[in-house]
Amino acid sequence: MESFKPQAQPWWQTFFKNPALHVALLVTVVAGGGFYIYKNKQSNQAEVASTSRPVVRVNASNSFPPPPPPPPEMELAVAGSATEVPAGSAGTGADADVGKMLAAAKGLSADNAAPAGSGPHVTVFYTEVSRQSLNRLIESARNTGQFMTFTDYSAGIIPGMEKRMQMAGIKVLHKEERPVEVGKSLQWTYGIKNRSTPGVEIGLTTFIELSEVDGNSLRGNLEIQRTWREPATSGGFEIQRKSFPAIFEIGGENGFLMAGVMPTQSNLENDDELTALDVYKILRSPQFRAGESEFVIFVEYDSK
């Protein structure tokens, strides 16, 4: 009997009785459960963010129609990239369209302008806003939780926009009204031909892509495309094209603003031709040149 030894337990019983294994399994279960809860929470937050209104965020500009191709001999340096692409007019580039821009600068209405009361339409205000008034607007936008600042510009939702447009320190340079048709894009340009590169039109193009109308609310994409003569990294100046995109949802008393898309100088030989257009008269403003005011674009939607 003294030499008797109990039969050894099967390896699998010894393995599953190991306390270290129990601890490892418990940690794995807890970690897996925590990860599931976290991902579920993130998914819910993303869903809420995507359906809440109003909303403003950066949007890729792929959906907007590109400018028409320019003469093959012209080239345009794309800002932020070493790649050179054909230079295009920021808009149609036709002399007739330039004439329309000049007519608009003299206070004439665009061909497809939508007067108030003629049906759903958007109104875009191009303005000069004093720094003090802009700070107040930004503060009101921050209070909505829908204001974002990017590298070169900022954008946000403005509550009570009609009332705020009446505040001191806001000078309307130009107003554009366009009829709304869901699924269709709006596009217009204010610009002039650059004297040294006549195949390029200097100025701002406004793209608005209308995605959905829900009662008094309008969802869409806004992109301001700027074609401008700017300092080159190698010295001198070159024509650069920059885009400033955002997604918005406005309606009722809420509007949308975008600030920071206008440089303080045109760097053009024919600067007087550019500043003859209402939108660019801000370039003559001593306050704007000194940084005491800012170029601000407002968008308002009216369902009636």
Side-chain angles (χ1 to χ4, degrees):
M1 295 294 290
E2 293 179 356
S3 61
F4 173 79
K5 293 183 179 180
Q7 184 178 359
Q9 293 180 338
W11 67 269
W12 56 270
Q13 288 187 4
T14 304
F15 180 78
F16 283 108
K17 288 182 179 180
N18 190 335
L21 175 62
H22 297 168
V23 173
L25 287 173
L26 178 61
V27 170
T28 301
V29 171
V30 172
F35 180 77
Y36 173 81
I37 293 173
Y38 171 78
K39 293 297 290 183
N40 189 53
K41 182 178 179 181
Q42 291 293 98
S43 176
N44 291 339
Q45 289 177 344
E47 183 178 355
V48 171
S50 65
T51 57
S52 62
R53 61 184 64 176
V55 62
V56 53
R57 53 191 171 89
V58 172
N59 177 42
S61 58
N62 303 353
S63 59
F64 296 107
E73 66 275 13
M74 301 305 300
E75 289 186 331
L76 174 68
V78 179
S81 171
T83 305
E84 293 201 343
V85 298
S89 161
T92 63
D95 291 339
D97 289 325
V98 174
K100 290 180 182 178
M101 305 306 171
L102 292 172
K106 295 177 182 178
L108 302 179
S109 299
D111 292 344
N112 56 351
S118 63
H121 62 280
V122 293
T123 305
V124 182
F125 300 89
Y126 302 87
T127 70
E128 178 181 3
V129 180
S130 69
R131 186 64 56 185
Q132 181 179 5
S133 296
L134 180 58
N135 289 340
R136 291 171 59 188
L137 290 170
I138 290 175
E139 181 64 25
S140 66
R142 290 189 191 280
N143 290 338
T144 69
Q146 299 296 337
F147 180 82
M148 297 184 71
T149 299
F150 310 109
T151 302
D152 298 322
Y153 67 109
S154 57
I157 300 298
I158 297 296
M161 179 174 160
E162 183 176 355
K163 180 179 180 180
R164 294 181 190 279
M165 287 295 295
Q166 306 301 319
M167 64 189 294
I170 297 180
K171 177 182 179 181
V172 176
L173 303 168
H174 184 73
K175 181 174 74 171
E176 188 81 24
E177 292 185 283
R178 297 280 173 141
V180 167
E181 188 172 346
V182 175
K184 289 194 175 182
S185 299
L186 304 176
Q187 172 183 344
W188 61 87
T189 301
Y190 304 108
I192 64 168
K193 301 293 184 181
N194 184 20
R195 191 170 292 172
S196 59
T197 53
V200 178
E201 191 171 10
I202 303 298
L204 300 179
T205 295
T206 302
F207 297 98
I208 299 181
E209 186 179 61
L210 309 171
S211 58
E212 184 178 355
V213 174
D214 181 10
N216 291 326
S217 297
L218 172 68
R219 301 181 186 93
N221 305 322
L222 170 70
E223 179 180 352
I224 302 299
Q225 187 179 92
R226 185 180 78 206
T227 304
W228 213 255
R229 191 166 184 260
E230 302 190 51
T233 54
S234 57
F237 295 92
E238 65 182 2
I239 305 299
Q240 298 181 6
R241 181 179 296 139
K242 294 182 179 180
S243 292
F244 306 89
I247 291 177
F248 66 87
E249 180 175 342
I250 56 176
E253 297 182 355
N254 292 330
F256 177 83
L257 74 76
M258 181 179 287
V261 304
M262 177 79 77
T264 56
Q265 295 183 356
S266 72
N267 306 311
L268 294 173
E269 298 174 1
N270 50 334
D271 179 78
D272 289 344
E273 295 179 26
L274 186 67
T275 55
L277 301 178
D278 285 347
V279 173
Y280 306 110
K281 287 181 178 179
I282 190 173
L283 295 173
R284 299 176 179 173
S285 168
Q287 291 77 19
F288 179 65
R289 288 179 175 270
E292 297 172 1
S293 65
E294 182 61 87
F295 180 74
V296 181
I297 298 172
F298 296 92
V299 182
E300 185 178 47
Y301 171 66
D302 191 341
S303 60
K304 299 179 182 180

